[in-house]
Amino acid sequence: PTMQAVLLSWVPKKERSRALSLVTSGITAGTVGSLFLAPMLVKSFGWQSVFYVFGATGFVWTLPWLAIAEDKPKSAEDCAPYACEIEDIEDLLVDKIDDSPPDWTAIPWGEIFKSRAMQGVIACAIAHNVGLILMLSWLPTYFASTYGLDVTNAAAVSAPPWICSFVVANLSGVVADGLVERGFEAGAVRRGFQLVGSVGPSLCLLKIALGQKTAEEATFWFAAALGLAGCSLVGFNAAPQDMARRYAPVVYGTFNAIGNLAGSLAVWLAGFALQANPTTGFQQIFFVAVLIYWLGAAAFLGSYRGEREFA
């Protein structure tokens, strides 16, 4: 949520899709690193070392952030290299725009949840996070149980899909910005990329559910699924940039929290499905994920217009 406010104050509208993609795709880049590093740490130092090392990296990133980060430009010179191309930059510099964090009780929660666009975004966030977190959590287990790979090899073949996601997400950001700069409506651009980001992964998971003979074939389709899912970073994930300014972090935090809760619940339920049906459990999980992807896409495409909804 914090980054939504930072990008609104520092990045011009014509470059926000690529900036948001780059920032958010850091999650997938970190996932790739962890898939290689975690097995080595467990093997050499025990499972506790994973938590110590990954926890310590948070402090490493915090130090430069505290040293250089600012909420917004303090002067026109701070805007380089954009020459203060941010809309309303003059008002922002002299505090005419109220971008202070809103009081919890002053947030228009009723208005936010009644918004059809917001409802569509929430539905899409649920679908995206169910698919994403299921793959994040169960991909190594899938390769280990289906193809008999050990933990290290299962983690290694799980990495290419996340690399594809990182690459596609950042390419999508550049293309989306180019379309907006050429005059396409932001809402149409978001819907188009979200269509690819929802239907694409669902079709790939459907292909996987129908069975793949080798781990290499499964890796290819998972890579395609997560790569296409990267388009969602300039789809529903970019909605707060269109829908609000002051409340952009609230909008993002709301649908992101709901989406992650749904994804976490899906991981928990998937565990029960695998216990009950060890041989066909993954097939059932993927079929359900496909259906959820389609429902989320339909809700978003039918309601989102890319218009300012909140302050």
Side-chain angles (χ1 to χ4, degrees), residues 224-243:
L226 280 167
L228 293 170
C231 293
S232 294
L233 296 191
V234 292
F236 84 91
N237 192 68
Q241 301 288 313
D242 305 325
M243 296 176 68

Side-chain angles (χ1 to χ4, degrees), residues 102-133:
D103 181 80
W104 176 265
T105 58
I107 296 173
W109 293 109
E111 182 182 346
I112 289 174
F113 282 106
K114 288 178 182 177
S115 165
R116 287 193 68 249
M118 185 65 176
Q119 292 168 2
V121 171
I122 290 174
C124 199
I126 290 173
H128 175 81
N129 280 282
V130 165
L132 186 70
I133 298 176

